[in-house]
Amino acid sequence: MAQTGSENTSSRADGTVRVKRGLAEMLKGGVIMDVVTPEQAKVAEDAGATAVMALERVPADIRKDGGVARMSDPEMIEGIKEAVTIPVMAKARIGHFVEAQILQALGVDYIDESEVLTPADETHHIDKFAFTVPFVCGATNLGEALRRISEGACMIRSKGEAGTGNVVEAVRHLRSIVGDIRKITQSDEAELFQWAKTLQAPLPLIQEIAETGKLQVPLFCAGGLATPADAALAMQLGAEAVFVGSGIFKSDDPAPRAKAIVEATTNYQDAEILAKVSRGLGAPMTGIDMDDVDVRLAERGW
Amino acid sequence: MSAWPNAAGSTLAPEPGDAQPTTAPEVATVDTRRIGVLALQGAFARHVEALARCGCDAVEVRTAEQLENCDALVLPGGESTTMSMLLERSGLRQPLAARLGQGLPVFGTCAGMILLAESISDGRPDQEPFRAIDIDVRRNGYGRQVDSFEADINVAGLDDGPFRAVFIRAPVVTRVGPSVDVLAEVDDDPVLCRMGSITVASFHPELTDDDRLHRLFLQSL
């Protein structure tokens, strides 16, 4: 028998890729909810959210108000951190590495380098390897997802079209990412070079996908989810967890809807449970048709 | 469960008359015991994969009927508050408590350790643990995600080198009862404990390719 003993402290390491991707693994099968106050954060935690995204305005309001959308006030993030025991995420603008430094100093558990905020850099994303805190980034297709992973993102979410309550864009993005992964697993070596060119993504990451059939990091769905059925649709299409933004707190009765979406995400393959939890939830957020959307947030990011 | 079946791993069941595979199967002996993995939320798929590497065809458990058929159970990492709520709403809490009382062998990791403990501090007031192993835990005792870490630990019973343990917002064990064996420690804190048929880890063996702890659990059944 080996001796039980304390670990060799020199072997201890924080902020490794495994530790950073590890938290995304723990969030799988769950629902991450946008909240703007500590009270909403409590409602989200009570409903069974695996994490909350702390922000000043939900995307629907950012869309309505216009102007420049920035990182939230640290005081507001602190308030939400104190209100709940589950992980707290917060958003930084694309390319705004100082907002990210501040969020890391605040001890948030995940940073979303998000197209929902106004981009700070129209060429570069944040070098996410430079941080101990893990990052999630949005993607509309596999090339974008792999560029973000090559910059150090530890979780990818579909962008969808945030703040619309319309799931059509999230479905488009998920189908594109998952569909291309399926095609790559069928490609021969020569075709993989072509995939790298077409997707503008690093060849080694493409080769890895051809081998494993999976994205390197967990793939979550975000952008326009409003109902339990939307969440289950995303999961059946290959998402491993869901973000719900405006869809909960812009609905008539947030608490039961939040609970129902949590149950739907767990039981996404069981239509009887989905039918049961979808009953009597009141009106969902109104939603916007894509033809009536002025600003396409998903087009932000490069 | 893999969302995207690997091109190399055909999902087609063999038909009568199909040519027999010429190469020997990777796993020579198939484990016939039914190992369940609680699949309400969290890293359950990684546990299923790890058990598959050990030659064990684990099943995902979301309902009381699925639990009924299990000879042993893994409680994965994830958010313990979410799992507590879903245990209530899925009607799994009572049947699972009953099976634990009958000595169901369970391996709990991180959130799973929290759910099996005698008492939880820094949890939610309504979070009721199963009290299946005589330890007290403090949720997120090592801090937030920026304090998460990995380290080599020496495990009693594993003679072939240290185990790389990944701690994600991990619980700290604050008290260990007299009937609990501590199998590994980090800085004098117990991180792997066993009492009877219950084994708990505050870290995530499912996040590495090292299956030795899963094998140890299967051997103990």
Side-chain angles (χ1 to χ4, degrees):
Chain A
M1 284 249 304
Q3 278 296 302
T4 303
S6 272
E7 44 100 21
N8 172 4
T9 41
S10 66
S11 74
R12 191 168 171 145
D14 61 11
T16 63
V17 166
R18 189 155 49 194
V19 165
K20 294 202 283 188
R21 290 181 184 174
L23 181 54
E25 295 285 344
M26 296 312 130
L27 299 172
K28 280 184 180 176
V31 183
I32 300 155
M33 302 182 190
D34 278 5
V35 298
V36 300
T37 63
E39 293 70 37
Q40 287 187 354
K42 292 296 286 181
V43 171
E45 187 180 55
D46 289 347
T50 49
V52 290
M53 177 75 71
L55 66 178
E56 243 151 40
R57 293 175 289 173
V58 293
D61 289 329
I62 291 175
R63 194 174 277 290
K64 201 168 67 193
D65 298 350
V68 173
R70 309 178 179 90
M71 177 189 82
S72 298
D73 186 328
E75 208 169 278
M76 175 266 170
I77 294 170
E78 297 278 4
I80 287 174
K81 270 174 58 196
E82 273 161 38
V84 293
T85 63
I86 55 179
V88 175
M89 303 186 173
K91 290 182 194 286
R93 283 180 265 178
I94 290 172
H96 206 316
F97 51 86
V98 173
E99 284 188 348
Q101 289 164 3
I102 292 169
L103 292 173
Q104 175 165 291
L106 288 171
V108 304
D109 296 295
Y110 239 94
I111 295 178
D112 184 2
E113 186 182 17
S114 177
E115 72 284 356
V116 170
L117 304 184
T118 311
D121 188 324
E122 295 195 326
T123 312
H124 309 95
H125 282 252
I126 296 170
D127 168 14
K128 293 166 275 287
F129 285 112
F131 290 79
T132 306
V133 64
F135 281 74
V136 50
C137 287
T140 59
N141 57 54
L142 183 58
E144 212 178 345
L146 293 178
R147 288 196 293 281
R148 298 295 84 80
I149 292 169
S150 70
E151 296 156 1
C154 291
M155 178 202 299
I156 293 295
R157 56 169 175 78
S158 66
K159 285 182 176 171
E161 197 51 47
T164 61
N166 188 337
V167 79
V168 66
E169 293 300 306
V171 168
R172 189 193 317 282
H173 302 160
L174 267 183
R175 280 212 178 268
S176 175
I177 294 168
V178 178
D180 278 354
I181 289 172
R182 268 194 288 262
K183 288 178 207 154
I184 285 172
T185 63
Q186 303 295 308
S187 301
D188 72 9
E189 286 298 323
E191 287 166 334
L192 296 183
F193 295 105
Q194 184 57 32
W195 273 110
K197 275 191 284 183
T198 312
L199 294 177
Q200 299 179 55
L203 179 66
L205 294 185
I206 304 270
Q207 288 167 327
E208 202 181 337
I209 286 177
E211 181 122 357
T212 64
K214 288 162 79 169
L215 200 64
Q216 285 80 359
V217 304
L219 173 64
F220 290 12
C221 180
L225 278 62
T227 67
D230 287 350
L233 174 66
M235 296 293 287
Q236 287 198 26
L237 284 171
E240 296 173 297
V242 299
F243 286 79
V244 184
S246 319
I248 289 171
F249 289 100
K250 285 289 170 187
S251 71
D252 272 5
D253 199 355
R257 177 166 299 268
K259 278 185 195 152
I261 291 176
V262 169
E263 280 187 82
T265 304
T266 292
N267 300 291
Y268 67 96
Q269 289 165 311
D270 189 329
E272 280 179 28
I273 294 180
L274 295 176
K276 195 178 84 190
V277 303
S278 298
R279 281 170 217 263
L281 296 178
M285 70 179 284
T286 310
I288 315 173
D289 189 89
M290 281 310 131
D291 292 338
D292 302 324
V293 170
D294 298 334
V295 182
R296 292 282 188 133
L297 301 176
E299 287 170 6
R300 298 167 168 177
W302 7 93
Chain B
M1 182 205 73
S2 167
W4 308 287
N6 190 329
S10 171
T11 54
L12 292 177
E15 300 273 352
D18 275 0
Q20 294 300 307
T22 47
T23 51
E26 202 171 309
V27 180
T29 53
V30 175
D31 202 323
T32 53
R33 290 167 301 190
R34 285 159 300 185
I35 315 296
V37 179
L38 188 71
L40 298 174
Q41 192 271 320
F44 53 85
R46 297 293 293 262
H47 274 293
V48 173
E49 287 167 21
L51 290 165
R53 290 196 298 269
C54 302
C56 172
D57 198 7
V59 293
E60 296 182 1
V61 173
R62 292 185 178 82
T63 64
E65 297 75 59
Q66 290 162 341
L67 176 66
E68 189 109 347
N69 294 321
C70 292
D71 301 316
L73 187 68
V74 173
L75 299 189
E79 276 308 313
S80 63
T81 53
T82 304
M83 283 186 219
S84 292
M85 188 215 80
L86 287 167
L87 277 169
E88 291 292 344
R89 253 182 281 165
S90 62
L92 262 170
R93 176 175 284 281
Q94 290 313 324
L96 180 50
R99 287 297 301 275
L100 286 167
Q102 294 158 10
L104 177 74
V106 177
F107 184 22
T109 60
C110 198
M113 172 195 252
I114 295 170
L115 294 175
L116 293 166
E118 184 69 25
S119 93
I120 309 169
S121 53
D122 293 355
R124 288 167 51 86
D126 58 350
Q127 211 176 349
E128 188 61 38
F130 284 109
R131 310 176 69 172
I133 180 166
D134 189 18
I135 60 169
D136 295 346
V137 298
R138 189 165 76 245
R139 260 185 87 213
N140 305 332
Y142 290 99
R144 304 194 71 93
Q145 173 61 16
V146 288
D147 308 304
S148 293
F149 64 97
E150 53 179 84
D152 288 338
I153 59 170
N154 295 314
V155 178
L158 292 185
D159 297 326
D160 42 352
F163 190 94
R164 193 71 179 160
V166 184
F167 295 82
I168 310 285
R169 287 170 49 93
V172 168
V173 177
T174 54
R175 184 192 63 83
V176 175
S179 47
V180 175
D181 291 325
V182 175
L183 304 179
E185 295 179 326
V186 167
D187 294 338
D188 300 329
D189 287 323
V191 296
L192 182 66
C193 302
R194 186 169 56 204
M195 185 177 98
S197 58
I198 310 288
T199 308
V200 292
S202 55
F203 55 93
H204 295 282
E206 75 279 14
L207 291 186
T208 62
D209 295 330
D210 190 341
D211 304 323
R212 286 180 293 164
L213 288 181
H214 286 90
R215 287 178 200 279
L216 213 58
F217 176 64
L218 292 172
Q219 283 161 16
S220 74
L221 301 181

